[in-house]
Amino acid sequence: MTEGSRRTSRIRAKLPAGGGDIDPLAGNQRATVLRRRGKSLDHGLLKLMNVRVRTLLGIGLLFLSLLIVSFFFYNRKGPADEDTEVRKLMRVVTPLPAPKMLDLPQFQGEHKESLYWGTYRPHVYFGIRARTPQSLIAGLMWIGIKNDQYFLRHVCQDSDGLSTYGWIEHNGRDYGHQLLVDQDLSLTTSFLKERVNGSGYGGDWAIRLEAQNVKSISQEAKWSTAHLFFYIADEAVKSLSFVREDFAYHDGFLLASGSREDVGGWQVQLKSKDKIEIHYAGFKTPHMHNLTELVEGTLAYNARSTGHLALPDTLEPSPNVIVFQFTVKLPSVLDIAFVSGANSLSSRSKDRINVLTGALLTNQLNVKHKFFEDRYNKCFSTMNKVDLESTHVGKTAIANLLGGIGYFYGQSRIMLPKDISQIYGRKSISYWPAALYTAVPSRSYFPRGFLWDEGFHQLLIWRWDMDICFDVISHWLDLINVDGWIPREQILGAEALSKVPEEFVPQHPSNGNPPTLFLILHDLLSNMKLGKFSDEEMDKISSFIGRAYIRLVAWLQWFNNTQSGKDVASFYWHGRDNVTAKELNPKTLSSGLDDYPRASHPNDDEQHLDLRCWMLLASDCLHSIAEITGREPASIENYHLMAKRLANFDFLNKMHLDEASGAYFDFGNHTEKVRLRWHDVDVGKKELVRETLEKPHMQLVPHVGYISLFPFMMRIIPPESWILEKQLELISNRSTLWTDFGIRSLSKTSSLYMKRNTEHDPPYWRGPIWINMNYMILSALSHYSTVPGPYRERAGAIYKDLRSNLIRNVVRNYYESGYLWEQYDQAGKGKGKGTRPFTGWTSLVVLIMAEEFPSFQLYFG
């Protein structure tokens, strides 16, 4: 939710990007820019990149890059070498020649228009955009006070220290209600969208901002007023219309207007019954990712000039960004209405604005609130399974997952091989321009797409709104290149790039990511077989999987071509560093489990158990799809044989089972006698360097943890097997994996339990509790507790205790901290750790409450 510490696998780069001090009113330095796994960078606020995405320009640069590479190869290498290398390079940035998923009829017309506008800017506290590359965008800023200093809030960042923020309700389409608490200032933002006769494409939308004092006597005077900022901006740099008038406030007035090809003429109007002091500023800029700095600098300059913390009431020529400052007494309520198609004869703009403000807006928000409540109860049925406090957290979890869905457009950067990079003089080349509509792991640290996270996200979303789920998956599948590879982290567009350090942006085309999208497809196919869908839903699923088949085949083939091991039915994750002297155990970022212990000395003879299990899931799923969609018998048989071979229990045990412990392990070139020691590298400077105290040899890698449970999680172990009993013992034993808060990622008996991997990399998957893996474990326990076998009751008892522990700990942490967390401490009191809010796969707590689990058993065996 990254290429140096977690995502980049996680270690996804961890950067606070957003409001910093408003000089000269604030004296603190901006928050240190942090990498996920402890690496720090001293970049200034949102100054990492200035990128302007233009589709045609991007395509032109792509082919220009390839031509330059070709030129160098013709002059530096022989024709045969050049031919091979350039063809290989071109394939990496060439789309798969197959019908696009998003061209399916089910994604056109009503569906496409209904999702046009949304809260698709998850990296800001509140932001609206359309699903188009260069959109009209809107957003909220405000001035917060911390340690008697002023800070501009805009971009979500942990250093802002908000007590809580996030969606309390969101349906993923046309409604959301969010709470933000900044010290003693409480803000609620409500979003409503509707399409009526006369509106332009995508319809109209409204925002309700409610500001009030969190009742604190000591802070009452400080928070008697609030400075709120609303902006409207055109990413295409088209000028906005603004009529200067005396802002001695009356009931309502026009803020800005303009015209676009997509929505026609548009207007934004403000209405409120409260007294508002209004100031404004207009700018001409293509750089939407620098809006925070732009407003900060303007406020600071005007404060020095006039002594007032206010925008200067000036406009640059032909502004495409207009920012309004609303200074209000608390409490206050402001309604902002956007109407499209305002230049048509049937627009009825005034009537539509009335519907989107005041009492009529209140009525509509109440209706949407009721719909959300009913929808939650219908989709997840937790009412009789958990208490009211847990139900509230469950609603918040699904709301934040849906409210965190974003729309991004740009070009991924692909890392060039070292020899090409040296000749070419640059390290990366651009993928083709593409859009991505996706949920995100965390609005503060990882507001972008992560491939393996998305499979877990969609286990929830398909149950809420199948059409949104299919739309998201289609965007991901349309990113497959001609070789079947999908870049695992999608950093598209300037706003996304501004959150990631430059060195971690390029993606490596040799590295994969767990193909978790097969989790959803497998789940859907299982429910199809059980007859749980309507005829209309069955038609949508059939159409979807029929179009997806060729892309899924290419994806699986990429894994077979690039990640297969030397032995039959063996696989290993590429991308481990086999020459590092800095890592205690070289990370396996492409696996998603980053620093989970693998073979101490990476080589091509490794066999990774988790990847083998993912390949079983993928091949079994493709076998099912091939049968359902009537593919040629040879393809059906090939996938059946692959799944059967990978599910062969005896073969699995020969390759990965330690019979003494009943645990499954990776196999590789390994020694336990490895350590980090301080070494002098310069006068007065030391660094941790790895020392190997004995020669490694090929063996099972003896670390009990999540990897050891993959055959259990995938239900490969027969219910009557003695190995199942051993697995249940490992799970329930407090000296290995069991805690009162969930299953820890690595056993306490491991030599690398809670060990740092480098000087800057604290333990990540070496002990802490992760909800996605606990969900998979719980799902398997549910399965084994319902099938006949000697360990059925034992599995049921563990299931009951683990489910209770997980729900209780996540809910308790939410009420104590105001957030869902990336991971939870396996020791002490199960405290939330890592990133917050982490409303990606931690939202699986909803399915844990509802006892909804995916089925993996279709054709195994």
Side-chain angles (χ1 to χ4, degrees), residues 480-580:
I480 290 180
N481 75 3
V482 68
D483 291 323
W485 177 67
I486 306 176
R488 63 194 178 90
E489 182 176 354
Q490 295 293 322
I491 311 167
L492 304 179
E495 290 192 308
L497 283 162
S498 70
K499 299 280 279 185
V500 184
E502 168 68 21
E503 62 267 35
F504 302 117
V505 171
Q507 304 293 294
H508 294 259
S510 61
N511 297 353
N513 222 199
T516 55
L517 297 183
F518 283 106
L519 281 173
I520 307 101
L521 299 176
H522 224 295
D523 200 14
L524 288 166
L525 295 175
S526 300
N527 281 280
M528 280 180 70
K529 284 183 164 291
L530 296 173
K532 291 188 176 182
F533 297 121
S534 67
D535 290 343
E536 181 183 0
E537 289 171 329
M538 290 286 283
D539 289 343
K540 288 180 179 179
I541 296 171
S542 298
S543 173
F544 178 83
I545 61 175
R547 176 64 65 91
Y549 178 77
I550 190 171
R551 293 179 177 275
L552 297 171
V553 167
W555 197 17
L556 177 58
Q557 192 57 44
W558 180 85
F559 278 98
N560 280 325
N561 291 340
T562 67
Q563 312 290 298
S564 291
K566 292 182 177 179
D567 293 338
V568 174
S570 70
F571 297 87
Y572 72 102
W573 297 107
H574 285 222
R576 300 189 71 206
D577 188 346
N578 60 5
V579 296
T580 179

Side-chain angles (χ1 to χ4, degrees), residues 380-600:
F380 303 116
S381 303
T382 64
M383 191 174 298
N384 298 321
K385 297 178 179 180
V386 294
D387 58 26
L388 290 177
E389 283 192 343
S390 299
T391 298
H392 173 72
V393 174
K395 291 175 182 176
T396 298
I398 186 63
N400 277 289
L401 182 62
L402 292 164
I405 292 176
Y407 177 88
F408 308 92
Y409 188 87
Q411 294 174 268
S412 289
R413 299 253 295 283
I414 310 304
M415 182 70 76
L416 292 173
K418 187 173 292 185
D419 56 342
I420 298 177
S421 177
Q422 290 172 347
I423 294 170
Y424 186 27
R426 58 184 296 181
K427 295 183 178 180
S428 65
I429 193 169
S430 295
Y431 222 49
W432 63 87
L436 182 63
Y437 172 66
T438 184
V440 303
S442 170
R443 290 171 62 190
S444 57
Y445 287 106
F446 312 118
R448 53 192 179 275
F450 288 87
L451 181 55
W452 99 291
D453 293 62
E454 202 55 38
F456 293 106
H457 298 163
Q458 296 307 317
L459 286 172
L460 277 153
I461 291 176
W462 86 251
R463 289 170 166 82
W464 178 270
D465 191 318
M466 187 182 293
D467 292 330
I468 289 179
C469 172
F470 284 165
D471 200 316
V472 168
I473 297 175
S474 294
H475 274 84
W476 277 101
L477 292 181
D478 278 346
L479 294 171
I480 290 180
N481 75 3
V482 68
D483 291 323
W485 177 67
I486 306 176
R488 63 194 178 90
E489 182 176 354
Q490 295 293 322
I491 311 167
L492 304 179
E495 290 192 308
L497 283 162
S498 70
K499 299 280 279 185
V500 184
E502 168 68 21
E503 62 267 35
F504 302 117
V505 171
Q507 304 293 294
H508 294 259
S510 61
N511 297 353
N513 222 199
T516 55
L517 297 183
F518 283 106
L519 281 173
I520 307 101
L521 299 176
H522 224 295
D523 200 14
L524 288 166
L525 295 175
S526 300
N527 281 280
M528 280 180 70
K529 284 183 164 291
L530 296 173
K532 291 188 176 182
F533 297 121
S534 67
D535 290 343
E536 181 183 0
E537 289 171 329
M538 290 286 283
D539 289 343
K540 288 180 179 179
I541 296 171
S542 298
S543 173
F544 178 83
I545 61 175
R547 176 64 65 91
Y549 178 77
I550 190 171
R551 293 179 177 275
L552 297 171
V553 167
W555 197 17
L556 177 58
Q557 192 57 44
W558 180 85
F559 278 98
N560 280 325
N561 291 340
T562 67
Q563 312 290 298
S564 291
K566 292 182 177 179
D567 293 338
V568 174
S570 70
F571 297 87
Y572 72 102
W573 297 107
H574 285 222
R576 300 189 71 206
D577 188 346
N578 60 5
V579 296
T580 179
K582 302 292 180 64
E583 296 181 70
L584 181 60
N585 186 277
K587 293 185 292 295
T588 313
L589 299 176
S590 53
S591 74
L593 302 179
D594 299 10
D595 67 343
Y596 186 96
R598 307 280 185 163
S600 61

Side-chain angles (χ1 to χ4, degrees), residues 495-716:
E495 290 192 308
L497 283 162
S498 70
K499 299 280 279 185
V500 184
E502 168 68 21
E503 62 267 35
F504 302 117
V505 171
Q507 304 293 294
H508 294 259
S510 61
N511 297 353
N513 222 199
T516 55
L517 297 183
F518 283 106
L519 281 173
I520 307 101
L521 299 176
H522 224 295
D523 200 14
L524 288 166
L525 295 175
S526 300
N527 281 280
M528 280 180 70
K529 284 183 164 291
L530 296 173
K532 291 188 176 182
F533 297 121
S534 67
D535 290 343
E536 181 183 0
E537 289 171 329
M538 290 286 283
D539 289 343
K540 288 180 179 179
I541 296 171
S542 298
S543 173
F544 178 83
I545 61 175
R547 176 64 65 91
Y549 178 77
I550 190 171
R551 293 179 177 275
L552 297 171
V553 167
W555 197 17
L556 177 58
Q557 192 57 44
W558 180 85
F559 278 98
N560 280 325
N561 291 340
T562 67
Q563 312 290 298
S564 291
K566 292 182 177 179
D567 293 338
V568 174
S570 70
F571 297 87
Y572 72 102
W573 297 107
H574 285 222
R576 300 189 71 206
D577 188 346
N578 60 5
V579 296
T580 179
K582 302 292 180 64
E583 296 181 70
L584 181 60
N585 186 277
K587 293 185 292 295
T588 313
L589 299 176
S590 53
S591 74
L593 302 179
D594 299 10
D595 67 343
Y596 186 96
R598 307 280 185 163
S600 61
H601 290 69
N603 62 21
D604 293 345
D605 294 316
E606 281 190 90
Q607 297 173 5
H608 290 149
L609 174 62
D610 54 330
L611 181 52
R612 187 185 195 279
C613 291
W614 287 122
M615 290 300 95
L616 168 57
L617 177 68
S619 58
D620 188 67
C621 187
L622 270 174
H623 173 219
S624 303
I625 295 174
E627 278 206 330
I628 291 170
T629 58
R631 303 292 166 167
E632 60 277 6
S635 295
I636 296 173
E637 182 63 13
N638 284 341
Y639 294 122
H640 175 64
L641 289 176
M642 182 178 178
K644 187 175 182 178
R645 182 167 61 247
L646 290 171
N648 185 298
F649 191 52
D650 291 335
F651 195 27
L652 169 70
N653 292 343
K654 288 176 183 178
M655 294 176 70
H656 291 287
L657 178 68
D658 174 56
E659 292 193 2
S661 64
Y664 289 97
F665 299 121
D666 285 343
F667 184 79
N669 192 32
H670 182 74
T671 174
E672 284 288 279
K673 296 188 180 300
V674 178
R675 67 184 181 184
L676 291 176
R677 291 285 299 273
W678 289 103
H679 283 243
D680 293 321
V681 294
D682 205 345
V683 178
K685 184 180 179 182
K686 293 176 178 283
E687 67 178 12
L688 281 175
V689 176
R690 184 170 90 153
E691 294 181 349
T692 302
L693 304 179
E694 74 172 13
K695 185 177 180 179
H697 64 277
M698 297 301 294
Q699 61 173 303
L700 291 173
V701 182
H703 296 282
V704 173
Y706 287 161
I707 296 294
S708 308
L709 302 177
F710 260 78
F712 171 78
M713 289 189 277
M714 294 292 183
R715 285 82 141 168
I716 304 172

Side-chain angles (χ1 to χ4, degrees), residues 68 105 124 170 245 287 342 383 429 437 449 453 516 652 694 765 775 779 794 831:
I68 294 172
V124 297
H170 204 297
E245 58 179 284
H287 304 307
M383 191 174 298
I429 193 169
Y437 172 66
D453 293 62
T516 55
L652 169 70
E694 74 172 13
W765 291 84
Y775 174 74
S779 178
R794 179 67 177 138
K831 188 177 180 180

Side-chain angles (χ1 to χ4, degrees), residues 293-344:
E293 287 186 327
L294 201 58
V295 176
E296 280 182 334
T298 303
L299 282 170
Y301 181 82
N302 199 49
R304 285 192 294 266
S305 302
T306 67
H308 296 294
L309 187 59
L311 292 174
D313 299 332
T314 59
L315 298 173
E316 293 179 4
S318 303
N320 67 304
V321 179
I322 301 180
V323 184
F324 297 91
Q325 178 179 355
F326 307 136
T327 301
V328 297
K329 296 286 186 182
L330 300 181
S332 284
V333 178
L334 294 79
D335 292 339
I336 298 171
F338 169 89
V339 292
S340 56
N343 52 359
S344 69

